[in-house]
């Protein structure tokens, strides 16, 4: 069965958690004791209705403040598809959490309160979704019940958003007018909006086509671990364990080891259930070669005549996570696939204003949640692809050497 990874994003109080709660409730994906607990919590708070957002707001601070702080993951399935939902926070100060949730998503639900229309945070999240190459963007114009389900209010918000989206690199944008709290156009089509000719949200999620989104053209296998079992039954076995980043690998294929450039043929491929005829993203497998090569963690297998770029310098669009500003004089640890290397900030080229998409030529300090284009120089060579071409080999993380905290995430340009 197909798996779809999706996130909810948008401004705070636009109804992200309530929408997820409605989806879970109406698809009967919650247990009775969970529902009873949410009802009791709503009664204790004096709510006039059962607050569906409590199904995803798991932290005490979230429940007390009525906001989402951390990324909450939920799982559910319908007869057509399985889903992994990431409920991302809407506050500006938690933009880094939103980036974390969006980094592995295939589809984004962008919530907009129809009364407020497009806000700065709406623009920020829409830009980040397209920057992170989420190809499918569903704009949920929410709280239609509070404007009498009027079509002109929906059209006003759609025009607002499309005026901003013209400058985005978005492949697929769809709009759904809805009211998440009463459930209009979430699972069932709403009788209150007969002018809406599209499908309810769940039908759209069940049928959106995402199989072509993965890169099956450029085989990349970052080595995570070399396996040599001390087993008399396999005294000479030597396998390379890792997750296929992209492309397809089959027994008999010739592969090149990077950085040495030596070649070998794949003898066998195994997953936890035994040998397999082929491996592709996101399978985690063990590849056995027909000859011994000196391979270590952080190195890569690719196909001859289809190599990634190898260099010490990369240009990235960096999202800064730390509350301490980026310090160009400091050294950071760069993580790229399974490789770690120390790096320096060679140049900060510009900072980006996500609401206007203008570049600041004199960027000044890069603070938390800022986006900036920077040039990184690493101590060891990296084998990388452009992020637009390959999300796995085109992304990096920056880690503070002293605290080991992740301070930034970058998309290679």
């Amino acid at each position: 069965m197909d798996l779809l990874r999706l996130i909810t994003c948008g401004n705070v109080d636009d109804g992200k958690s309530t929408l997820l709660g409605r989806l879970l409730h109406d698809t009967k994906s919650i247990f009775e004791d969970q529902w009873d607990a949410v009802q009791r919590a709503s009664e204790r708070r004096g709510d006039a209705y059962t607050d569906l957002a409590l199904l995803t707001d798991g932290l005490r601070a979230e429940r007390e403040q009525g906001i989402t702080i951390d990324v909450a993951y939920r799982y559910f399935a319908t007869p057509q598809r399985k889903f992994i939902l990431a409920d991302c926070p809407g506050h500006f100060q938690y933009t880094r959490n939103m980036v974390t949730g969006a980094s592995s998503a295939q589809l984004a639900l962008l919530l907009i309160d129809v009364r407020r229309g497009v806000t700065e945070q709406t623009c920020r999240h829409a830009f980040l979704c397209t920057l992170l190459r989420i190809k499918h963007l569903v704009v949920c114009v929410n709280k239609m019940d509070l404007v009498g389900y009027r079509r002109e209010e929906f059209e006003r918000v759609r025009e607002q958003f499309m005026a901003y989206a013209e400058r985005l690199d978005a492949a697929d944008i769809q709009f759904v007018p809805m009211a998440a709290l009463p459930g209009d156009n979430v699972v069932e089509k709403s009788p209150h909006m007969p002018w809406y000719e599209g499908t309810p949200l769940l039908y759209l999620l069940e049928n959106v086509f995402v199989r072509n989104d993965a890169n099956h053209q450029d085989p990349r296998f970052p080595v995570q671990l070399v396996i040599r079992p001390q087993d008399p039954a396999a005294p000479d076995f030597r396998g390379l364990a890792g997750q296929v980043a992209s492309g397809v690998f089959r027994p008999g294929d010739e592969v090149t080891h990077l950085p040495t450039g030596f070649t070998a043929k794949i003898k066998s491929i195994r997953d936890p259930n035994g040998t397999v005829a082929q491996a592709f993203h996101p399978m985690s497998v063990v590849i056995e070669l027909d000859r011994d090569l000196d391979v270590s963690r952080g190195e890569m297998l690719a196909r001859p005549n289809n190599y990634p770029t190898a260099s010490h310098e990369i240009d990235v669009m960096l999202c800064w996570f730390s509350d301490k500003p980026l310090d160009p004089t400091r050294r950071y640890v760069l993580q790229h696939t399974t490789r770690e290397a120390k790096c320096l900030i060679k140049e900060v080229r510009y900072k980006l204003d996500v609401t206007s998409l203008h570049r600041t030529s004199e960027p000044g300090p890069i603070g938390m949640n800022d986006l900036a284009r920077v040039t990184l120089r690493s101590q060891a060579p990296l084998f990388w692809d452009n992020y637009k071409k390959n999300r796995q080999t085109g992304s990096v993380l920056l880690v503070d050497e002293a605290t080991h905290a992740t301070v930034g995430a970058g998309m290679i340009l």
Side-chain angles (χ1 to χ4, degrees):
M1 186 185 293
D2 270 351
L3 172 67
L4 179 69
R5 296 175 179 271
L6 65 154
I7 62 163
T8 58
C9 54
N11 204 10
V12 64
D13 288 339
D14 280 357
K16 299 180 294 300
S17 299
T18 301
L19 173 60
L20 290 193
R22 173 58 64 185
L23 272 173
L24 294 172
H25 177 267
D26 288 4
T27 56
K28 305 189 187 319
S29 303
I30 55 176
F31 296 110
E32 286 188 10
D33 59 336
Q34 285 180 299
W35 182 242
D36 291 341
V38 169
Q39 285 183 313
R40 288 196 299 271
S42 298
E43 290 171 3
R44 282 198 303 272
R45 291 168 18 147
D47 295 337
Y49 51 84
T50 302
D51 189 354
L52 295 167
L54 297 179
L55 286 168
T56 56
D57 288 343
L59 299 178
R60 177 179 294 179
E62 290 177 329
R63 292 178 179 237
E64 290 174 350
Q65 299 179 46
I67 63 171
T68 302
I69 296 174
D70 200 1
V71 180
Y73 290 95
R74 294 292 182 271
Y75 310 89
F76 78 99
T78 67
Q80 284 74 32
R81 178 171 266 174
K82 292 189 290 188
F83 301 91
I84 298 179
L85 302 166
D87 184 23
C88 296
H91 276 285
F92 168 76
Q93 68 192 90
Y94 302 121
T95 300
R96 54 186 176 180
N97 300 30
M98 178 268 170
V99 172
T100 303
S103 61
S104 60
Q106 299 163 296
L107 181 146
L109 301 177
L110 182 65
L111 274 287
I112 299 178
D113 185 332
V114 66
R115 299 168 300 171
R116 289 191 295 192
V118 175
T119 65
E120 178 182 342
Q121 195 68 341
T122 306
C123 297
R124 180 181 297 277
H125 283 185
F127 173 74
L128 287 171
C129 287
T130 55
L131 182 67
L132 290 161
R133 306 305 298 170
I134 298 177
K135 295 186 177 180
H136 308 281
L137 188 61
V138 180
V139 181
C140 302
V141 182
N142 194 23
K143 304 189 181 182
M144 289 295 295
D145 55 322
L146 301 183
V147 294
Y149 299 104
R150 291 194 298 274
R151 180 174 190 169
E152 56 269 26
E153 297 291 339
F154 168 70
E155 295 294 346
R156 175 182 58 81
V157 174
R158 178 158 69 173
E159 289 173 9
Q160 272 185 352
F161 184 80
M162 288 308 297
Y164 175 76
E166 287 177 355
R167 293 168 288 174
L168 299 177
D169 185 15
D172 176 27
I173 302 177
Q174 301 194 53
F175 292 83
V176 180
M178 66 171 57
L181 188 59
D184 292 292
N185 281 340
V186 178
V187 173
E188 302 291 340
K189 194 167 174 64
S190 171
H192 301 112
M193 291 177 274
W195 46 264
Y196 174 60
E197 298 176 350
T199 64
L201 178 64
L202 182 62
Y203 182 88
L204 193 155
L205 297 179
E206 287 178 330
N207 292 280
V208 64
F209 190 72
V210 295
R211 289 185 179 179
N212 286 344
D213 293 355
N215 182 335
H216 297 301
Q217 308 300 319
D218 308 299
R220 307 281 187 261
F221 184 75
V223 177
Q224 186 173 15
L225 182 68
V226 178
I227 294 180
R228 300 200 67 177
Q230 304 300 314
D231 186 349
D236 300 321
F237 182 84
R238 187 169 188 269
L240 309 177
Q243 184 184 51
V244 178
S246 59
V248 181
F249 291 89
R250 298 182 180 88
D253 286 349
E254 188 174 31
V255 293
T256 301
H257 168 233
L258 300 173
T260 65
F262 291 131
T263 60
K265 286 189 176 181
I266 295 177
K267 185 176 179 181
S268 68
I269 302 176
R270 307 178 190 209
D271 72 359
N273 299 315
T275 57
V276 295
Q278 60 182 3
F280 48 85
H281 178 75
M283 292 175 65
S284 294
V285 297
V286 175
I287 292 179
E288 184 184 11
L289 303 178
D290 68 343
R291 54 180 290 210
D292 284 340
L293 298 179
D294 183 15
V295 182
S296 303
R297 175 184 170 85
E299 297 174 346
M300 185 179 288
L301 298 182
R303 295 288 297 278
N305 303 319
N306 186 350
Y307 295 161
T309 304
S311 69
H312 287 267
E313 289 188 6
I314 53 174
D315 274 5
V316 303
M317 182 60 73
L318 184 69
C319 181
W320 192 248
F321 291 168
S322 175
D323 51 2
K324 296 180 181 177
L326 180 147
D327 184 352
T329 64
R330 283 195 56 189
R331 194 169 56 181
Y332 295 96
V333 175
L334 185 149
Q335 290 191 345
H336 174 250
T337 62
T338 55
R339 167 160 285 204
E340 287 188 1
K342 294 177 180 176
C343 76
L344 294 171
I345 311 296
K346 182 180 179 183
E347 181 184 3
V348 179
R349 296 197 170 192
Y350 58 80
K351 190 158 70 174
L352 195 68
D353 183 338
V354 295
T355 55
S356 63
L357 300 183
H358 290 160
R359 301 171 180 178
T360 306
S361 56
E362 296 180 2
I366 306 300
M368 188 171 69
N369 297 321
D370 279 342
L371 286 164
R373 177 169 178 168
V374 303
T375 301
L376 305 176
R377 179 168 181 78
S378 71
Q379 197 173 46
L382 304 174
F383 308 103
W384 55 272
D385 295 289
N386 184 293
Y387 187 82
K388 286 186 177 180
K389 182 179 178 182
N390 195 320
R391 292 176 77 174
Q392 280 66 43
T393 59
S395 55
V396 299
L397 292 175
L398 288 187
V399 177
D400 188 295
E401 263 193 321
T403 64
H404 303 290
T406 301
V407 294
M411 285 64 72
I412 301 177
L413 302 173

